[in-house]
Amino acid sequence: MVVAMETDHYENFPVASILMPPHLRRPVGLIYRFAREADDFADEGDLQPAQRLALLDSFSRELDRIEACQAPEIAWFSQLASIIREHHLPIPLFRDLLSAFSQDVVKARYANYADVLDYCRRSANPVGRLLLVLYGAATPQNNQWSDAICSSLQLINFWQDVAVDYLKDRIYFPQDEMAQHGISESQIAHAQTNGNWRDFMSFQVSRTRQLLQSGAPLGRELKGRLGLEMRMIIAGGDRILSKIANVNYDVFRRRPVLKPHDWVLMLARSAF
């Protein structure tokens, strides 16, 4: 049985926006629903870890049924099965998402940057690759650019949500880099920005921006509204990073978010 969870989510980069071609909004919305609901199983409510993993496993079994051409037991998965077949969406990418969300239930610390990127590879990159399949643009080069963008967006979300994640007993900063900069868990717990905090965060922001910009050619490769959408997403990620720097890296007290005027500036920046 799937437990319904009523949650409200702030999104930096809402999918299926007005820029999305109308014929793609339904399949994009279904991909987003899969990712959002599975993520909520790992994050929301007061469930025990075993319950969370059971809910995620229920989605995995639905993917098994789709692969076996069997009728799903969760009603809306019939719609998902339809778009998977129609657009030849790779089911392993959906499984990667479930793998990442299951990991969130059982793993709360990351030894190094490679471990963090491996999480991003499964938690964020599959969505970008699925969208490229929908767009008919899933070339090896485009996938590489998309992975850079999606991983950087996931990292940006981590840097925004340091305090929120710590309340869930999660720290996504690489443990070895924390040690190198003299950053302790106690410092995060007490929202302290003294010592090397700003240098540490500046390093994280700079590296994330480099990763984001390494994927920027995708915004020029995709044509028309899709290209504009991608350029908007990249501009949004860059703007959040700037906002983090502009609050002197104190993400504990002033969580940077995109506001209406930011979207106007991003559109202007992305239109040309």
Side-chain angles (χ1 to χ4, degrees):
M1 179 180 69
V2 174
V3 177
M5 295 183 180
E6 294 298 327
T7 55
D8 294 321
H9 299 285
Y10 164 83
E11 300 292 345
N12 284 333
F13 314 104
V15 297
S17 76
I18 193 171
L19 296 176
M20 185 70 62
H23 72 283
L24 293 181
R25 289 177 191 164
R26 178 174 171 271
V28 170
L30 287 167
I31 291 170
Y32 176 79
R33 180 175 181 177
F34 178 94
R36 183 74 272 169
E37 290 194 14
D39 194 20
D40 284 348
F41 291 159
D43 278 348
E44 303 298 335
D46 299 317
L47 301 178
Q48 294 301 308
Q51 293 173 295
R52 296 184 186 281
L53 293 174
L55 289 169
L56 289 163
D57 190 55
S58 73
F59 272 25
S60 181
R61 291 195 300 274
E62 293 301 280
L63 294 178
D64 291 341
R65 293 186 182 96
I66 292 173
E67 283 187 312
C69 297
Q70 298 172 354
E73 293 184 357
I74 300 173
W76 72 267
F77 266 76
S78 296
Q79 302 174 58
L80 183 65
S82 176
I83 67 141
I84 286 174
R85 289 192 295 268
E86 179 182 353
H87 297 280
H88 306 287
L89 299 177
I91 289 180
L93 293 175
F94 291 93
R95 295 195 186 280
D96 281 345
L97 291 169
L98 295 181
S99 169
F101 302 145
S102 295
Q103 181 170 302
D104 266 333
V105 179
V106 299
K107 183 180 176 73
R109 302 293 186 274
Y110 290 82
N112 51 50
Y113 186 56
D115 280 355
V116 177
L117 285 183
D118 179 67
Y119 175 85
C120 296
R121 177 185 64 80
R122 289 173 288 121
S123 70
N125 297 5
V127 174
R129 288 188 173 227
L130 286 167
L131 295 184
L132 286 177
V133 174
L134 285 178
Y135 302 161
T139 66
Q141 179 62 79
N142 286 353
N143 281 337
Q144 182 178 335
W145 285 328
S146 174
D147 288 349
I149 293 167
C150 291
S151 285
S152 64
L153 295 179
Q154 178 70 85
L155 293 172
I156 290 166
N157 185 249
F158 291 158
W159 312 156
Q160 284 176 289
D161 284 345
V162 174
V164 173
D165 288 332
Y166 188 76
L167 290 175
K168 301 172 185 175
D169 190 33
R170 294 183 193 150
I171 295 177
Y172 291 99
F173 292 125
Q175 296 286 292
D176 60 347
E177 294 176 2
M178 287 178 61
Q180 291 164 13
H181 286 81
I183 304 299
S184 67
E185 291 199 15
S186 175
Q187 188 170 356
I188 294 173
H190 292 92
Q192 295 172 340
T193 59
N194 58 328
N196 291 331
W197 176 260
R198 290 177 176 84
D199 288 342
F200 175 64
M201 284 296 292
S202 175
F203 169 72
Q204 300 297 336
V205 165
S206 176
R207 181 171 59 186
T208 302
R209 177 174 275 120
Q210 289 175 13
L211 181 61
L212 177 67
Q213 291 305 321
S214 74
L218 184 61
R220 298 187 292 273
E221 180 68 20
L222 297 177
K223 305 305 179 186
R225 293 164 69 173
L226 296 177
L228 179 57
E229 173 101 357
M230 184 55 60
R231 294 193 296 276
M232 283 276 288
I233 288 172
I234 295 166
D238 188 76
R239 191 153 183 82
I240 287 289
L241 291 172
S242 293
K243 283 174 172 277
I244 292 173
N246 289 341
V247 298
N248 209 15
Y249 305 105
D250 186 357
V251 291
F252 299 108
R253 295 165 185 83
R254 290 173 287 179
R255 180 181 186 269
V257 297
L258 295 175
K259 297 182 177 179
H261 71 274
D262 292 309
W263 290 97
V264 174
L265 293 173
M266 287 155 51
L267 179 59
R269 178 179 174 183
S270 304
F272 304 101

